[in-house]
Amino acid sequence: MAIAQEPGTGYVVLNSYSQPPFVQAGEAAESGLAPTFVRLLRDASKLPVPLTLETVPRKRLELRLEGPRFQGLAVFLAPEFLSEEARAGKWSVPLLVDENVLVSLRPLPMSSPEDLVGMRFGAIAGHIYRVLGPYVEARKIKREDAPDHVSNLKKLCLGRVDFVVMSRSELAGSGELAGCLQPFKWRSFPEPQVIVRRVVIRVPDARVTDRLLAATEAVACSPAWHAALQRHQLSTVGCNSPRSAQDPTPRR
C-alpha cells in the first residue's frame, strides 16, 4: 500500500481530514487549512522539488505510514493515536492545539462519563474512543456509527443520537454543513482531551528533514498561519524562538 517517492520528484503531504476547515470546496478550496499549510511550507522551505497535498481516508493514511517504503510528510497528526510503525519519523513542533469535545443540542452537564449512561453516542466508524470505549463495551452507552462528522451532526439534529464526540476543529468546519436549525452546544470532558496536532516527516535526506522541520516551525508561528487558524477560533502554542518568529509569507 505504500508508495515510494522517487528521488527528485518531490514529496507527498498526506492529510486525512477531508472536511472543513481542513479542506474546503469550490472557490474556497485554497483557504482550507491543509492547502494553506502546504503552500506556506513550500514557500518557507524553498525546496527545489514540489510538495504535493494528497487527502486520503484515515485508514489509508495509516497503511501508507506503516509501510517501510513511504517517503513524505503527513499533517495534523498526534503520535499517540498512531501505531508504533506509523509514528516513525521526525515530528515537528505543534501546528494546532485541538480538543475532543462533547457536542449536543441541549446542555450536557457531566462530572464523569457515568452521567452519560443510557444515552446514544454518535461515533465515526473505525474510530477509537478511549474514554467512552469501556462504557460502550459494557453496553452502558449505545454507540451509533456514521461515516463522517456531518452525518453524525445531522443525526444529532434529528434526535437519533444524544451527543457526538468530535474535535473543536472539525466542529468549526462541519457545524454549518449539517443544516441544523438549532445551535450546537459543546463542552469539554471533565479531564480535557487535548490533541496537539503536528507534522511527521519521513524523508531519507537528513538535510532535507532538518530544512522541513525548521520551515514547519516558522510556518506554525507565522502571522499567516495564526490568521488562518483564528478564522475558525483555533490556535497553536506560544512561539519563543527567533527562527519561529519569522513570517514565511513571501513579500510581493
Side-chain angles (χ1 to χ4, degrees), residues 33-156:
L33 292 181
T36 296
F37 170 73
V38 172
R39 183 171 62 253
L40 292 173
L41 182 65
R42 189 184 300 125
D43 293 338
S45 65
K46 297 181 173 62
L47 287 177
V49 295
L51 298 173
T52 304
L53 178 65
E54 184 178 344
T55 298
V56 298
R58 176 64 180 226
K59 187 61 178 177
R60 188 179 303 174
L61 177 143
E62 292 178 356
L63 288 172
R64 296 271 290 274
L65 290 180
E66 288 170 357
R69 297 175 59 216
F70 175 77
Q71 294 181 24
L73 302 81
V75 294
F76 306 126
L77 298 176
E80 63 268 26
F81 293 107
L82 296 172
S83 67
E84 184 176 352
E85 295 83 2
R87 72 171 73 109
K90 296 289 186 179
W91 286 85
S92 76
V93 299
L95 276 185
L96 164 64
V97 177
D98 212 341
E99 179 187 7
N100 275 341
V101 295
L102 291 156
V103 183
S104 59
L105 289 180
R106 59 183 176 83
L108 202 62
M110 184 181 67
S111 58
S112 82
E114 288 289 339
D115 295 327
L116 303 175
V117 168
M119 294 187 183
R120 299 161 299 172
F121 159 39
I124 299 295
H127 280 210
I128 297 173
Y129 299 88
R130 296 177 179 176
V131 174
L132 300 182
Y135 293 85
V136 172
E137 292 177 6
R139 297 186 178 180
K140 293 182 177 181
I141 297 174
K142 185 177 181 181
R143 174 171 173 164
E144 299 278 355
D145 280 355
D148 54 56
H149 288 299
V150 173
S151 299
N152 261 331
L153 291 175
K154 287 181 178 180
K155 289 168 66 175
L156 177 62

Side-chain angles (χ1 to χ4, degrees), residues 172-213:
S174 301
E176 292 185 4
L177 300 179
C180 193
L181 298 179
Q182 302 180 62
F184 294 113
K185 297 178 172 59
W186 67 267
R187 58 151 297 154
S188 299
F189 280 82
E191 295 183 7
Q193 306 295 301
V194 176
I195 306 169
V196 180
R197 301 192 185 278
R198 305 173 186 265
V199 181
V200 62
I201 300 169
R202 196 186 301 171
V203 299
D205 190 325
R207 293 171 299 177
V208 174
T209 298
D210 290 342
R211 193 167 175 175
L212 286 168
L213 286 171

Side-chain angles (χ1 to χ4, degrees), residues 213-224:
L213 286 171
T216 300
E217 183 177 354
V219 171
C221 294
S222 70

